[in-house]
Amino acid sequence: MWRLISFLAVLTFACAPRPTPAPPPAAAITTDLTRYVLRPAVYGHVASIVARFTAPADTAVFILHCNGAISWGLQRLVDGRWENAWVATTNGCLSAPIQVTGGGTYADTLELISRTDMPPNPGTVQAEVPPGTYRVVWFGVLTAFDLDARPFGDELGLEHRVSAPIVIERAP
């Protein structure tokens, strides 16, 4: 009899509905790959990252740029924290911002250049990008734009301007 009761208890527990964990929030920036290999080039090592930004459903945004060159960078995972590791250099001009409506997307190909032949200078195109776990981050994504204001508007929260983790490796 106890065996029957034990069996029914186990069966009841096994068949009981279990809460489904909530899916992780979708990344605001999606990349074409999750792994990139820096390949040798004349001027260092390079990789192309196609990144697609999606604006929050309820918020139009304005992406600052100079003749189409947006400010973007990489954050590296170090001891469980994201640290700015590399930032693209763009010209200092201010073109009319790219407006992305709520839920809309904007895609760009980001050319990553890693240089080992120059002294380390984080935040510039000449900096080395060592192998590791990174995420793409876009800068200058504003929730409003006013040409006469300084700054031009409030920046969209960081959680809305980053990708899921990606891996960057060096070609053998």
Side-chain angles (χ1 to χ4, degrees):
M1 178 70 154
W2 283 107
R3 285 186 172 169
L4 178 60
I5 292 173
S6 296
F7 173 75
L8 290 175
V10 169
L11 184 62
T12 301
F13 178 75
C15 295
R18 294 192 183 124
T20 307
I29 295 175
T30 55
T31 56
D32 58 331
L33 302 171
T34 58
R35 181 179 162 272
Y36 295 89
V37 177
L38 290 166
R39 59 192 186 284
V42 173
Y43 46 84
H45 287 79
V46 299
S48 294
I49 301 172
V50 177
R52 179 178 299 277
F53 168 81
T54 301
D58 59 349
T59 307
V61 298
F62 302 84
I63 302 172
L64 301 180
H65 67 100
C66 174
N67 296 324
I70 62 168
S71 295
W72 70 280
L74 294 174
Q75 292 182 332
R76 185 172 188 196
L77 188 60
V78 178
D79 296 328
R81 291 186 352 240
W82 292 105
E83 296 180 357
N84 288 333
W86 187 95
V87 179
T89 302
T90 61
N91 292 330
C93 74
L94 178 64
S95 301
I98 300 164
Q99 185 173 358
V100 181
T101 59
T105 61
Y106 180 77
D108 197 11
T109 300
L110 314 169
E111 295 298 329
L112 172 60
I113 303 169
S114 175
R115 301 278 303 256
T116 57
D117 61 339
M118 298 182 76
N121 188 7
T124 68
V125 225
Q126 293 82 22
E128 179 180 6
V129 178
T133 300
Y134 293 84
R135 68 182 182 180
V136 173
V137 59
W138 283 16
F139 302 103
V141 180
L142 310 179
T143 58
F145 181 80
D146 181 352
L147 184 59
D148 297 323
R150 299 293 184 272
F152 299 115
D154 293 332
E155 191 158 45
L156 187 65
L158 179 64
E159 69 276 10
H160 297 292
R161 299 182 285 112
V162 295
S163 73
I166 60 173
V167 173
I168 296 178
E169 300 173 343
R170 174 87 34 106

